[in-house]
Each structure stands twice: as structure tokens, then as C-alpha cells.
Amino acid sequence: MRKCNKCLKEKPDSKFLTKKKKTCKKCEYRVKQRILRYLVHNRRLSPIEKLANRLGYMGSAFIMLSPHLLPGPIGIKTYILGGLLSLPQVLVAKQWNLVFVNLNVAIAYTILFFK
């Protein structure tokens, strides 16, 4: 029998993880959960972020759809639309490399469309 240094209760040795531990499994789990919950930051998205995320999902869907429609002008239009619709999401997230990739897609297919 040992005494836990957190709950101060006398407990059998089987309730401790190892022989050197002074905290019982139950108390150790509670402390670990508190620390992990403290590390995770729950935050609510602003309305701009919500709108940008939804537009980004729609833009990604258009980009995924476009290769199947590509031989015709509809595929080119969906690529342009997908590139433009996914821009707000990456702008709000400040992922500048993806901003340039999406702009490149939109500009390249706009040039292709008008040729």
C-alpha cells in the first residue's frame, strides 16, 4: 500500500503505473487530461472565415470536376471559377503560396479560354 501524492489516499501498488510513481493512475490521468485540454485552443470562426471556407470548398470541387470536362470550354470555365472561388480561403488563412498557385490557375486558363 502506498499513498498517492495528489489525492492523499492509501492505495494498493497495482493502482500505480510503476514502482517509482508517487501518483496513482487515476490522478495522473486527470492531470494529463487537464494539460492536454489546456493546450488545445477552441475558437470560433468569424463570419468572414466561414464564408471563405465554404467558397474554398466550392472552388476545390470545381477544380476536381474540371479535368473531366476539359476538352470543351466548360472545363476551362470551371477551372477559372474554381481558382477564383478558392482564393478567399487561402487569403484569409494567409497561405501565400496557395494564393499564387490559384491565381496562376485562373490566369492561365483565362488566357487559354480567350485564345
Side-chain angles (χ1 to χ4, degrees):
M1 295 287 283
R2 285 192 278 172
K3 190 174 185 180
C4 175
N5 65 350
K6 292 285 182 184
C7 62
L8 304 175
K9 293 180 183 176
E10 250 341 278
K11 296 187 177 187
D13 289 341
S14 63
K15 298 291 183 182
F16 294 87
L17 195 60
T18 63
K19 290 185 178 185
K20 293 182 180 180
K21 288 276 187 181
K22 295 182 180 178
T23 308
C24 67
K25 291 178 188 176
K26 188 174 182 181
C27 293
E28 191 173 337
Y29 179 73
R30 273 190 252 151
V31 172
K32 188 192 305 184
Q33 285 300 101
R34 279 191 197 147
I35 291 170
L36 291 176
R37 284 190 186 136
Y38 178 75
L39 292 175
V40 174
H41 178 67
N42 285 333
R43 71 177 195 88
R44 299 187 65 114
L45 294 176
S46 69
I48 292 173
E49 290 172 324
K50 287 180 186 178
L51 180 64
N53 281 340
R54 291 187 177 114
L55 286 174
Y57 292 140
M58 193 168 24
S60 297
F62 278 126
I63 289 174
M64 287 189 295
L65 175 75
S66 298
H68 305 289
L69 304 172
L70 196 55
I74 296 173
I76 295 173
K77 290 177 188 175
T78 55
Y79 256 125
I80 295 167
L81 190 60
L84 293 176
L85 284 176
S86 57
L87 268 178
Q89 184 180 26
V90 292
L91 278 171
V92 168
K94 296 179 181 156
Q95 296 171 332
W96 304 115
N97 57 341
L98 295 177
V99 170
F100 294 124
V101 167
N102 290 335
L103 277 175
N104 186 24
V105 166
I107 291 170
Y109 279 101
T110 303
I111 292 169
L112 181 66
F113 180 70
F114 286 116
K115 277 190 178 182

